[in-house]
Amino acid sequence: MFGDCEGLGSLRPVTTPALEELADGIYVWLQLPGETGVSNAGVIVDWDGLTIVDTLMVRSQWEPFAAAVKELDKPVKRVLLTHAHIDHVGGTTAFRNAMVLGSPATSALLDQPMPLEAYKTYMSAFAEEFDDLEISGTRPVSHIVDGAAQLTNRIELLPATGHTGGDVMALVADADLLFAGDLCFFGVTPLAFQGDPATWADMLDVVVELADVIVPGHGPIGGEREVRELQGYLRACVDARGDVGAIPSGPWDPWIDRDRDTINVERAALLARGDDALPPSMLKAIGEA
Ligand SMILES: [Zn+2]
C-alpha cells in the first residue's frame, strides 16, 4: 500500500496519457512533460488500417498505449520509427503483425545488442523496467526508408538529419500536421549527443514550412513559434564554441532537462573541429567515462 506513495517526492507535473484525436483520424499519445525516456507517439487512420508513429520505451508506457490503440478496433498495418533511440522503439513488440519502417541508421542500430547498462545508468528511473525490455527486445526494421515516399494516401515520409544521422518525419498534409519525431522538443531541452546542432537548426527551416501543427518527440503540440525557439537554442549551442556558460538567456530558460546544455555544446564544438565523437559529458552520463 505504501508503495503507492512512491514518487510523491518528485513535484514535476504528471499527466496520465490518453489517445487524443487532434484531427480527423489522427491521434496523439502525449507523455508530458517529456523528460528523458518519456516521449510521444501517434496513430494515423487510413482506409486499410492504422499507422503507428513511434512506440515509447518501457512496458509501463507502451502497454497502455497499445491497449488504447486496440480500442480503435482497426488493424495496425505499419509502425514508423522516427529514429532509433530506445524511448521511441522500445514498444515495437506490442505491434507484432505490422511492418516496421525506419531509416538505414535506425535499422542498423536495432540490429545491435541493446546497451542495457548505459540505459540503466542514463535513465535510472527506469532501471528495473529495462530488464523486462531486454527480454521482450525490439523488432527489426522490415522496410527501409531511404528517400521521401508516399506511405499511404495520407502519409508522406520525409527523411531528415539533425537529431540523429537517420531521422524520418511523417507529414499528413490533409490535416496540415507533421509528426517531427525528435527533430522537435517543445518545453524540453533537446538532446544532440548523436546529432549535429548546426544541421539540426537548419533543418528546422524546412520543418516550419511543412505544416502548421507539429507533434514533437517530446513535449506538447506546437507550431512555428516553438520550432523557432528550438532553432534559436540550437544555434546558441553552436555559437557557444564549447563554453556552456555562453548560452544566453532566452525562451529556453524555463525548459526542463537543461543539464543537456553541456552535452549539446560539447557535441557542437566537437563537430566544428571535424570530430564525430560522443561528447565527454554524455559518456559520463552513461557511465563510460
Ligand atoms: Zn531521440
Side-chain angles (χ1 to χ4, degrees):
M1 174 184 276
F2 292 107
D4 291 340
C5 296
E6 273 174 21
L8 286 181
S10 123
L11 292 175
R12 66 183 179 224
V14 174
T15 53
T16 307
L19 215 46
E20 185 186 331
E21 192 167 17
L22 266 196
D24 187 29
I26 301 179
Y27 298 84
V28 289
W29 182 271
L30 302 177
Q31 298 192 115
L32 301 176
E35 70 276 29
T36 303
V38 178
S39 63
N40 297 330
V43 184
I44 303 157
V45 183
D46 264 280
W47 65 272
D48 65 337
L50 307 177
T51 302
I52 305 294
V53 181
D54 286 339
T55 63
L56 313 177
M57 186 168 72
V58 287
R59 184 180 300 274
S60 63
Q61 297 173 341
W62 51 256
E63 240 173 25
F65 172 57
V69 168
K70 204 165 180 213
E71 292 283 305
L72 296 176
D73 201 22
K74 291 183 167 63
V76 177
K77 293 287 188 181
R78 294 160 291 269
V79 171
L80 169 67
L81 301 176
T82 60
H83 63 295
H85 288 159
I86 193 64
D87 51 334
H88 299 258
V89 305
T92 44
T93 54
F95 308 102
R96 292 222 167 257
N97 298 316
M99 66 167 75
V100 179
L101 298 120
S103 69
T106 297
S107 180
L109 265 164
L110 288 182
D111 288 342
Q112 301 293 318
M114 229 181 253
L116 203 68
E117 291 311 314
Y119 292 160
K120 285 183 173 180
T121 306
Y122 187 57
M123 294 177 271
S124 53
F126 301 99
E128 284 175 24
E129 289 206 83
F130 283 127
D131 289 326
D132 167 70
L133 183 61
E134 188 186 30
I135 294 162
S136 60
T138 53
R139 294 187 55 208
V141 168
S142 62
H143 292 68
I144 301 260
V145 182
D146 59 0
Q150 195 75 36
L151 178 65
T152 68
N153 283 343
R154 304 191 74 184
I155 307 170
E156 191 180 352
L157 300 182
L158 300 168
T161 58
H163 174 65
T164 68
D167 303 304
V168 180
M169 304 183 288
L171 177 65
V172 189
D174 69 59
D176 198 14
L177 184 147
L178 179 76
F179 286 93
D182 275 4
L183 285 166
C184 288
F185 287 67
F186 296 152
V188 184
T189 311
L191 181 61
F193 73 99
Q194 280 181 326
D196 180 336
T199 305
W200 187 347
D202 290 345
M203 185 64 67
L204 294 176
D205 281 330
V206 176
V207 167
V208 293
E209 294 300 322
L210 290 171
D212 281 350
V213 181
I214 311 284
V215 182
H218 296 261
I221 307 296
E224 176 162 8
R225 185 171 65 94
E226 288 76 14
V227 176
R228 292 294 182 197
E229 289 173 1
L230 172 62
Q231 186 177 46
Y233 169 84
L234 291 165
R235 294 216 160 118
C237 288
V238 176
D239 293 343
R241 296 176 187 276
D243 174 13
V244 70
I247 297 178
S249 184
W252 40 84
D253 291 351
W255 291 356
I256 61 169
D257 287 345
R258 285 295 299 279
D259 55 333
R260 295 170 174 177
D261 286 0
T262 309
I263 294 168
N264 296 334
V265 166
E266 283 178 2
R267 175 71 177 165
L270 283 165
L271 290 172
R273 54 173 193 262
D275 187 347
D276 191 27
L278 278 184
S281 53
M282 188 68 198
L283 288 171
K284 199 172 164 208
I286 61 175
E288 289 183 17

